[in-house]
Amino acid sequence: MPNYTLKINGKSVSFTADADTPLLWVLRDELDMVGTKFGCGIAQCGACTVHVDGTAMRSCQLQVSMLDGEEITTIEGLSTEGDHPLQEAWKEVDVPQCGYCQAGQIMTAASFLKENPNPSSEEIREAMQGNICRCAAYNRIEKAVALAAEKMS
């Protein structure tokens, strides 16, 4: 098996894995970074969303062999103290019910707000539509993203 070194959350991390191993399983099983969740395994639900060079991507479909030189950020790396404006807004709005999708939701929203710091409600809904929430907390998610945008401006 090949050895890989990736930059994850600002740190160089080395591990051994098959070339086609999804980043999700390296994060969870090899590096014990379990904030990124397995949802569907086919990049449809968004639970496994991480940032690759600042862009939200589904880690269940990213082969580790394709990530050499990329900057990867997980929910653990979004804020060392858990006080990113999105995380604070999530708490203020009391978004999670079961909480399973929340890391992916927050990572998608963080990438979106980086590109669009002053979004309309419609733009937020459009940006977040690819992330599934089984609890249907979509209205609170939208409200929290809007609140975070305010906090970040």
Side-chain angles (χ1 to χ4, degrees):
M1 260 192 282
N3 289 318
Y4 295 96
T5 301
L6 299 177
K7 191 169 185 183
I8 301 175
N9 299 332
K11 297 178 183 167
S12 184
V13 179
S14 297
F15 57 91
T16 302
D18 288 328
D20 62 350
T21 302
L23 175 63
L24 171 64
W25 299 119
V26 170
L27 293 172
R28 293 185 60 79
D29 296 345
E30 301 298 322
L31 305 177
D32 200 31
M33 300 175 77
V34 295
T36 304
K37 305 293 187 221
F38 172 77
C40 65
I42 57 172
Q44 296 298 303
C45 74
C48 69
T49 302
V50 298
H51 293 174
V52 178
D53 289 334
T55 301
M57 300 186 83
R58 309 296 166 86
S59 64
C60 71
Q61 294 294 302
L62 293 173
Q63 296 177 350
V64 293
S65 59
M66 300 167 42
L67 297 170
D68 186 43
E70 306 287 348
E71 176 70 34
I72 298 162
T73 305
T74 68
I75 190 70
E76 293 92 345
L78 190 61
S79 166
T80 57
E81 302 298 319
D83 60 355
H84 185 281
L86 276 161
Q87 292 166 314
E88 294 295 327
W90 240 249
K91 289 183 254 181
E92 281 183 51
V93 175
D94 196 23
V95 171
Q97 288 181 42
C98 82
Y100 198 82
C101 72
Q102 300 309 301
Q105 298 274 2
I106 290 170
M107 295 305 286
T108 296
S111 178
F112 166 65
L113 290 177
K114 192 180 218 181
E115 296 298 316
N116 185 350
N118 189 25
S120 67
S121 291
E122 185 175 302
E123 290 169 326
I124 293 170
R125 281 191 298 277
E126 176 73 23
M128 300 303 294
Q129 76 175 351
N131 286 70
I132 297 171
C133 175
R134 290 189 61 159
C135 301
Y138 298 112
N139 291 334
R140 289 186 300 207
I141 290 166
E142 180 184 331
K143 186 176 179 182
V145 174
L147 178 58
E150 287 176 32
K151 290 175 176 280
M152 294 168 76
S153 64

